[in-house]
Amino acid sequence: MLKKILFSSLFIVSYVFSGILFWGEHSYMLPFNLIVTFVISFFIFKKSANTKLDYFIINVPFFLLLIFTSIIGKDFSRLMTYIIFVPLSSLIGYWFIKDKNLLKVILSFFVILITSNLFNANFFSYYHNKNAQKDVPFPKVSLTDSNKNKIILNKNKIIVLDFWSTNCSICFKKFPDLEDTFKKYQLNKNIEIYSLNVPLKNDDFQNTTKILDSIGYSFPKLYAVSAKEIKDSLDIDSFPQLLIIKNGKIRFDGMLETNRNVRIYSIDSEIQRLIDEK
């Protein structure tokens, strides 16, 4: 029994290790941990005298870790995916012991890997954006271009604003997708897409304006004059953050989601929703 408990603790080691290895990116962490779950389950069930007890030993320590990290981080958006798919992965390990059909196991595990990633991406988007659709006036905020010329947004268009800061690594990961989105709607005269930098205390404006241009992105860039004004007027102080404005009103205020597997509250689905409105 003690050996099995110690063996099952490898789930915790696997989760922590994958978090470090993949920089907290769950699209990679999830399949990694499901594979580890299957392998460990296989070896535990192989010598199992009490299947129900071993199933409990396999899953409970891992769930306790997930609940603990979710409480600490105040974010339960990933918990549901693991609660559903980790037990399924361990069941496949048990099934392989009983069935011995390698092809069935491989196919089943492949289906679980695909389904889990789809579920994870869409549930994450739903969890963070379920209250993001709005219909409130867009307040006046001071914006400039790279030459510090004052910019007034066109109230008669759909305006997409991707808020970012220079210390936001996730922002930089999403810029290539923002570029793709910009090119997709580039010829639509009713849609304007911008990145909008919010300055940090020690930022140098000239250096900030060179960052995205040096990478070669073609989407238009805007710059907020004051982080305090953005916080006070829009309640935005964490990044990336997406605002979509139509007819002078904020219609979406949530997380920037550009994952192609996401079907709800993605940047494309929200833009299309506003285009289709009468």
Side-chain angles (χ1 to χ4, degrees), residues 6 92 119 129 134 151 158 163 203 215 219 227 244 254 272:
L6 291 174
I92 291 180
F119 179 88
N129 292 318
K134 310 283 185 181
I151 298 295
I158 295 173
F163 288 74
D203 280 352
I215 300 173
F219 51 73
I244 304 181
Q272 193 59 49

Side-chain angles (χ1 to χ4, degrees), residues 187-243:
L187 298 180
N188 190 324
K189 295 182 179 180
N190 294 316
I191 299 174
E192 293 181 357
I193 297 175
Y194 300 93
S195 68
L196 199 165
N197 174 260
V198 178
L200 301 178
K201 184 177 180 180
N202 296 319
D203 280 352
D204 179 85
F205 183 77
Q206 288 187 338
N207 289 337
T208 300
T209 59
K210 293 176 182 177
I211 292 175
L212 298 187
D213 288 335
S214 66
I215 300 173
Y217 294 127
S218 58
F219 51 73
K221 294 92 176 172
L222 296 178
Y223 303 88
V225 172
S226 166
K228 185 178 185 302
E229 182 184 30
I230 296 298
K231 167 63 178 172
D232 292 344
S233 300
L234 298 170
D235 195 27
I236 295 177
D237 61 357
S238 61
F239 310 97
Q241 184 79 1
L242 181 71
L243 281 192

Side-chain angles (χ1 to χ4, degrees), residues 84-100:
I84 293 173
F85 290 97
V86 166
L88 284 176
S89 186
S90 60
L91 279 176
I92 291 180
Y94 173 73
W95 182 33
F96 184 48
I97 296 294
K98 296 296 182 181
D99 194 279
K100 304 276 195 244

